[in-house]
């Protein structure tokens, strides 16, 4: 069989097997969700649920769902570490031992879909990048993590001639002059605002997007009272628009983001949103996923007004002006910030199901599977071979492997395994 024909056959089979997700394996758009009548954020109605009867049931219906999910994610190399290292608290705080190879691939696919939706197929949104370390003085009550040379700190602490007041002064000065690790991506986007105005001829609205690692204090401290540092991968869109249309754009982006999270889900209704307000009275929204233990925010949207820009660029206000029709205005800043690590965890919980084991006569046994959306699945095709002429079959698999990769289809080379396995084992090994 020619390789090209084999690829088309693989794609056709994948589309049939995965048609229950309302999506296409070749990256096309999933089935549209039912929308309300409002063009800018009307009421949402959820996507159709899985039918009842003999269909797979969600594993989190039982109290052991979380433990079973962690077990299968460890076995399938989505997560690494012991059960204590990848507890619920550690996963939420970003203080875990990291993701396995398939977990990283899943997060990469999630980031790619986010980037395509927000940047690639949208006008007036530009990619930017910023350093992990931000410069700036330390303010009273500042809880940011700062980078300090261990050697410099050791020299100050070991100087016996310094009084207590001098030691405190030296340490305060060291903190003021050291860089701080970023807690979000907003600061970096604001730094690019003025330069990127030329790209749009100063016309509003426009946006700046980036994906990167951010650092934050963990909620729990170590046994000796030291604050732990967590990290997470965030996807950020900063949207600059006139104050006149800021509320409408906030509603638009809320609707866009909620639909986006839902379109990859087996149970879209587990994704929801609600209004929120900060201490300064600024309006915002949060997108939640309903985990077995309760709702957790996976994305936040804020209308920050114009104060963030005015604080970043004090003095010459005219350089901040963008064109809103015929008027020159200082834009309002909308911050849309998604937690890709927590979003990945949400999709793992959403996809985790117990299905009947068709390869055994014992009907009370179930297989634990991850029914990930094909756009997010870390591996699209697994190539393996049964009994037969090993050399010839392996050559065919190698040819298919190379051509599938050339066409952008991720493949697992199961044919390299020398141990003979039954059809049942091969099927269950790659069923995630």
């Amino acid at each position: 069989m020619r390789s090209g024909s084999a690829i088309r056959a693989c794609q056709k089979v994948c589309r049939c097997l995965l048609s229950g997700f309302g999506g296409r394996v070749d990256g096309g758009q999933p089935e549209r969700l039912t929308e309300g009548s409002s063009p800018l954020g009307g009421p949402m109605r959820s996507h159709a649920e899985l039918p009842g009867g003999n269909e797979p049931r969600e594993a989190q219906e039982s109290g052991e769902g979380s433990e079973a999910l962690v077990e299968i994610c460890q076995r399938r190399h989505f997560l690494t570490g012991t059960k204590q290292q990848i507890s619920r608290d550690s996963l939420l705080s970003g203080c875990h031992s990291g993701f396995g190879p398939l977990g990283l691939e899943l997060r990469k696919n999630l980031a790619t879909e986010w980037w395509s939706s927000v940047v690639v197929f949208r006008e007036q949104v530009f990619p930017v990048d910023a350093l992990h370390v931000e410069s700036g003085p330390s303010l009273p009550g500042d809880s940011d993590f700062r980078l300090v040379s261990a050697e410099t700190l050791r020299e100050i602490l070991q100087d016996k001639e310094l009084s207590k007041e001098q030691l405190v002064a030296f340490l305060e000065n060291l903190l003021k002059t050291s860089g701080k690790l970023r807690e979000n991506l907003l600061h970096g986007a604001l730094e690019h605002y003025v330069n990127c105005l030329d790209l749009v001829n100063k016309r509003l609205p426009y946006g700046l997007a980036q994906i990167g690692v951010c650092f934050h204090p963990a909620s729990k401290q170590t046994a000796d009272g030291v604050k732990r540092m967590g990290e997470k991968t965030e996807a950020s869109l900063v949207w600059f628009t006139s104050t006149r249309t800021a509320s409408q754009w906030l509603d638009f982006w809320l609707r866009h983001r909620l639909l986006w999270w839902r379109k990859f889900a087996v149970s879209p209704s587990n994704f929801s949103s609600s209004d929120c307000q900060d201490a300064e009275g600024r309006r915002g929204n949060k997108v939640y996923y309903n985990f077995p233990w309760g709702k957790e925010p996976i994305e936040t949207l804020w209308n920050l007004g114009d104060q963030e820009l005015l604080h970043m660029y004090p003095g010459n206000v005219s350089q901040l002006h963008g064109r809103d029709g015929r008027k020159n205005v200082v834009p309002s800043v909308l911050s849309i910030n998604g937690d890709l690590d927590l979003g990945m965890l949400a999709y793992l919980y959403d996809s985790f199901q117990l299905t009947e084991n068709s390869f055994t006569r014992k009907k009370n046994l179930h297989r634990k599977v991850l029914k990930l959306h094909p756009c997010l699945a870390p591996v699209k095709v697994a190539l393996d071979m049964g009994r037969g002429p090993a050399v010839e079959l392996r050559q065919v698999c190698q040819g298919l492997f190379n051509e599938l990769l050339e066409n952008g289809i991720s493949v697992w080379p199961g044919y390299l395994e020398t141990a003979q396995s039954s059809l049942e084992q091969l099927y269950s090994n790659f069923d995630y």
Side-chain angles (χ1 to χ4, degrees):
M1 175 170 38
R2 297 180 54 135
S3 297
S5 302
I7 290 175
R8 287 191 292 273
C10 285
Q11 289 178 328
K12 184 176 180 181
V13 170
C14 288
R15 291 192 191 104
C16 294
L17 290 174
L18 299 168
S19 61
F21 290 93
R24 290 168 45 189
V25 73
D26 55 1
Q29 293 297 322
E31 180 183 348
R32 288 179 62 87
L33 304 183
T34 306
E35 301 179 7
S37 59
S38 171
L40 290 173
M44 300 281 302
R45 293 196 296 271
S46 71
H47 193 280
E49 297 293 334
L50 287 174
N54 294 324
E55 293 296 317
R57 62 187 180 90
E58 297 181 12
Q60 51 258 50
E61 290 177 0
S62 65
E64 300 176 355
S66 294
E67 292 184 6
L69 176 64
V70 169
E71 188 271 332
I72 192 175
C73 286
Q74 285 179 301
R75 183 157 43 89
R76 300 299 191 195
H77 302 284
F78 285 88
L79 301 174
T80 60
T82 63
K83 287 186 177 180
Q84 291 75 21
Q85 291 174 321
I86 52 176
S87 64
R88 183 183 79 188
D89 290 337
S90 65
L91 289 172
L92 294 178
S93 64
C95 297
H96 52 85
S97 54
F99 302 112
L102 295 189
L104 292 174
E105 193 70 19
L106 172 59
R107 188 179 65 184
K108 187 193 79 171
N109 292 343
L110 184 61
T112 299
E113 292 296 327
W114 184 93
W115 195 260
S116 297
S117 174
V118 173
V119 182
V120 176
F121 298 112
R122 190 167 297 278
E123 297 177 345
Q124 307 299 73
V125 177
F126 306 101
V128 293
D129 197 10
L131 297 176
H132 288 68
V133 180
E134 301 173 357
S135 59
S138 177
L139 302 175
D142 192 351
S143 61
D144 294 330
F145 284 99
R146 292 189 168 265
L147 290 179
V148 178
S149 167
E151 183 179 357
T152 302
L153 184 60
R154 195 176 295 112
E155 289 177 357
I156 295 175
L157 294 175
Q158 291 178 350
D159 191 341
K160 304 298 184 182
E161 297 181 359
L162 293 177
S163 65
K164 182 179 179 180
E165 291 75 14
Q166 289 175 320
L167 178 61
V168 171
F170 270 109
L171 292 176
E172 288 287 350
N173 184 63
L174 183 62
L175 291 176
K176 288 179 181 179
T177 56
S178 61
K180 62 180 179 180
L181 293 171
R182 65 186 183 188
E183 288 196 31
N184 55 61
L185 302 176
L186 174 63
H187 184 273
L190 296 179
E191 286 183 330
H192 287 277
Y193 167 74
V194 172
N195 290 333
C196 291
L197 267 178
D198 293 335
L199 289 174
V200 294
N201 195 25
K202 297 185 180 296
R203 185 180 62 185
L204 300 174
Y206 86 95
L208 300 176
Q210 61 179 320
I211 295 176
V213 177
C214 297
F215 307 87
H216 60 93
S219 57
K220 288 189 176 181
Q221 299 180 345
T222 59
D224 52 2
V226 178
K227 275 191 176 182
R228 298 184 64 190
M229 180 175 65
E231 63 178 69
K232 55 186 175 182
T233 302
E234 295 190 353
S236 168
L237 170 66
V238 180
W239 188 252
F240 303 98
T241 182
S242 66
T243 303
R244 178 178 58 87
T245 59
S247 295
Q248 291 176 301
W249 276 113
L250 185 65
D251 292 338
F252 168 84
W253 282 114
L254 172 62
R255 184 175 183 79
H256 176 276
R257 301 308 306 141
L258 186 56
L259 284 169
W260 184 86
W261 285 106
R262 284 180 168 181
K263 80 173 186 176
F264 300 111
V266 176
S267 299
S269 59
N270 280 330
F271 291 90
S272 60
S273 66
S274 68
D275 299 335
C276 59
Q277 195 170 341
D278 66 4
E280 300 177 17
R282 296 182 295 193
R283 179 194 168 202
N285 302 94
K286 291 185 178 182
V287 177
Y288 294 91
Y289 180 76
N290 189 21
F291 289 93
W293 59 84
K295 293 183 178 181
E296 298 286 350
I298 57 176
E299 189 159 24
T300 57
L301 303 87
W302 290 104
N303 182 357
L304 301 177
D306 58 7
Q307 292 303 308
E308 298 291 337
L309 278 175
L310 294 174
H311 178 73
M312 174 73 72
Y313 299 94
N316 188 7
V317 178
S318 61
Q319 66 177 331
L320 303 177
H321 284 164
R323 291 190 296 112
D324 176 32
R326 296 182 179 181
K327 295 181 179 180
N328 291 325
V329 298
V330 177
S332 289
V333 177
L334 304 186
S335 173
I336 298 101
N337 200 61
D339 186 339
L340 294 184
D341 291 345
L342 196 54
M344 186 189 81
L345 187 63
Y347 283 124
L348 287 174
Y349 271 95
D350 173 76
S351 66
F352 185 43
Q353 295 179 354
L354 301 179
T355 62
E356 289 188 1
N357 195 340
S358 58
F359 297 115
T360 180
R361 295 178 181 178
K362 298 179 180 180
K363 296 302 181 181
N364 60 335
L365 294 181
H366 291 86
R367 290 186 300 114
K368 303 181 180 98
V369 297
L370 298 176
K371 295 292 186 180
L372 290 165
H373 190 282
C375 291
L376 302 181
V379 178
K380 307 296 189 282
V381 177
L383 283 176
D384 214 317
M385 59 185 192
R387 294 179 176 83
V391 176
E392 290 81 358
L393 287 175
R394 191 166 283 111
Q395 288 176 347
V396 173
C397 288
Q398 184 66 56
L400 287 171
F401 178 83
N402 293 334
E403 192 153 351
L404 286 167
L405 286 184
E406 290 174 2
N407 284 268
I409 301 173
S410 56
V411 190
W412 183 260
Y415 60 89
L416 296 178
E417 178 62 50
T418 56
Q420 290 288 338
S421 301
S422 65
L423 179 63
E424 293 86 351
Q425 290 174 319
L426 294 179
Y427 183 80
S428 59
N429 282 344
F430 303 110
D431 191 6
Y432 56 80

